[in-house]
């Protein structure tokens, strides 16, 4: 869908949308980059998209342009008039909710099967990611996640064992989902530019391994990586049944958490369950 809209910079100056640091506002204006991000989930023709933090609507334009129906949650009231203009230019394609994405009941708001796409401030993004990956119910309500992160966080999500970035976030993101870094994004693409580089991560749900509860895996990784430089026989001491579970699946207790694969964690969690 071709949208007849003024350039984003004009929209921002007309509505006085100076970037607010406390809201993590680093806007994207480059329409080619925004189109590339909107292509990361695959075809969005007729798809439902839940966008968090649309701001002045750059990414929202690209998502609508790619054929999506967008439900967007924005905390900053100042952005609402600019988003209303976009909604008018694309009738029936954009619903805007003013509020805090951390306080929204997403399943009730967007239903099942929506793609989630967001360019969010770092702290909110990580909190939401953990929420979307958590819980006992799987598959989740979302079909895919396409999220902008600081490069370092993106590396933590896709990290493999024995690497500096490997930890709880990698296990959480990989035990029943498949993450990949889809697109590195240079800091100069943002207005204003943040201090660090960014990357778009794409995550799709996979099958949940049988016989493992999320809460158990969470406790296990929390204990194991809580003291990541220590041997497992030390770090799992306080976890009831932890050492017996290691023995049951044949993992040497002198190993450290960062050497265990995601499958190893799943096997230990299964023994604990
Ligand atoms: N999507 C726009 C873009 O790519 O140019 C804006 C991205 S900017 C990095 C992050 C946006 O998230 C801002 O518009 C900010 O107001 C909004 N935001 C920050 N915290 C939020 C929250 N808790 N819930 C909803 N939106 C939030």
């Amino acid at each position: 869908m071709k949208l007849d809209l003024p350039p984003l910079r004009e929209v921002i100056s007309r509505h006085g949308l100076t970037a607010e640091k406390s809201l993590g506002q680093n806007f994207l204006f480059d329409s080619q980059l925004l189109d590339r991000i909107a292509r990361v989930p695959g075809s969005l023709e007729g798809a439902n998209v839940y966008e968090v933090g649309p701001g002045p609507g750059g990414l929202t334009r690209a998502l609508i342009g790619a054929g999506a129906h967008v439900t967007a949650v924005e905390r900053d009231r100042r952005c609402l008039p600019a988003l209303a203009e976009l909604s008018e230019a694309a009738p029936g394609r954009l619903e805007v909710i003013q509020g805090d994405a951390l306080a929204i009941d997403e399943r009730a708001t967007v239903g099942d099967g929506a793609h989630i796409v967001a360019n969010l401030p770092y702290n909110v993004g990580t909190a939401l990611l953990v929420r979307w990956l958590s819980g006992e119910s799987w598959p989740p309500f979302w079909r895919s996640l396409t999220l902008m992160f600081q490069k370092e966080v993106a590396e933590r999500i896709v990290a493999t064992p024995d690497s500096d970035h490997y930890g709880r976030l990698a296990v959480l993101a990989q035990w029943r989902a498949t993450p990949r870094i889809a697109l590195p994004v240079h800091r100069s693409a943002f207005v204003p530019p943040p201090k660090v580089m960014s990357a778009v991560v794409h995550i799709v749900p996979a099958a949940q391994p049988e016989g493992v509860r999320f809460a158990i895996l969470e406790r296990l990784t929390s204990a194991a990586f809580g003291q990541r430089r220590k041997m497992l026989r030390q770090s799992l001491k306080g976890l009831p049944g932890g050492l017996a579970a290691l023995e049951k699946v044949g993992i040497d207790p002198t190993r450290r958490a960062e050497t265990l694969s995601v499958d190893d964690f799943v096997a230990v969690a299964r023994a604990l369950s």
Side-chain angles (χ1 to χ4, degrees):
M1 178 180 192
K2 189 95 191 77
L3 293 168
D4 189 19
L5 287 162
L8 274 170
R9 282 180 195 276
E10 187 194 311
V11 171
I12 281 171
S13 76
R14 189 158 37 85
H15 293 288
L17 299 178
T18 42
E20 185 66 55
K21 209 173 172 194
S22 65
L23 285 168
Q25 291 182 336
N26 301 93
F27 301 132
L28 292 171
F29 292 144
D30 177 348
S31 62
Q32 281 186 10
L33 172 63
L34 290 162
D35 286 342
R36 282 174 71 198
I37 297 172
R39 280 198 296 272
V40 167
S43 170
L44 291 180
E45 199 56 59
N48 285 330
V49 169
Y50 176 54
E51 187 192 0
V52 185
L59 185 53
T60 323
R61 291 182 180 196
L63 294 166
I64 292 172
H69 289 85
V70 181
T71 304
V73 178
E74 173 55 59
R75 187 165 193 174
D76 186 356
R77 286 179 191 281
R78 297 179 311 153
C79 297
L80 299 184
L83 293 167
E85 282 176 14
L86 177 48
S87 194
E88 250 168 60
R93 302 287 293 280
L94 172 63
E95 190 198 338
V96 179
I97 299 165
Q98 192 277 321
D100 179 356
L102 292 163
I104 291 251
D105 178 348
E106 296 128 339
R107 198 171 217 144
T109 307
V110 288
D112 278 309
H115 295 275
I116 300 183
V117 183
N119 170 21
L120 272 172
Y122 161 60
N123 54 345
V124 181
T126 313
L128 283 172
L129 174 67
V130 170
R131 183 160 104 186
W132 290 329
L133 294 171
S134 300
E136 302 299 342
S137 161
W138 203 260
F141 73 94
W142 46 269
R143 177 169 304 206
S144 75
L145 305 176
T146 299
L147 309 171
M148 182 80 75
F149 287 106
Q150 288 189 358
K151 183 168 167 273
E152 195 232 312
V153 177
E155 284 168 350
R156 281 170 47 205
I157 294 167
V158 302
T160 49
D162 281 319
S163 65
D164 287 345
H165 293 297
Y166 188 61
R168 284 177 69 192
L169 200 53
V171 178
L172 186 62
Q174 295 174 35
W175 77 288
R176 55 181 180 178
T178 311
R180 71 183 171 98
I181 293 184
L183 201 67
V185 181
H186 198 274
R187 52 186 286 279
S188 62
F190 298 87
V191 178
K195 287 202 179 76
V196 294
M197 297 295 189
S198 295
V200 174
V201 175
H202 184 235
I203 303 179
V204 287
Q208 169 155 336
E210 274 178 30
V212 184
R213 282 184 39 222
F214 169 77
I216 304 265
L217 188 79
E218 172 74 350
R219 252 176 265 148
L220 170 66
T221 50
S222 163
F225 288 109
Q227 305 177 58
R228 58 184 290 137
R229 300 282 165 213
K230 296 248 167 80
M231 291 178 191
L232 289 164
R233 71 174 174 214
Q234 176 67 28
S235 55
L236 296 192
K237 237 184 200 163
L239 182 71
L243 297 180
L246 275 187
E247 197 182 329
K248 191 170 167 196
V249 296
I251 289 178
D252 180 353
T254 65
R255 285 172 65 184
R256 289 178 306 178
E258 62 201 21
T259 71
L260 263 59
S261 67
V262 173
D263 285 349
D264 287 336
F265 277 108
V266 165
V268 179
R270 185 179 289 119
L272 269 169
S273 304

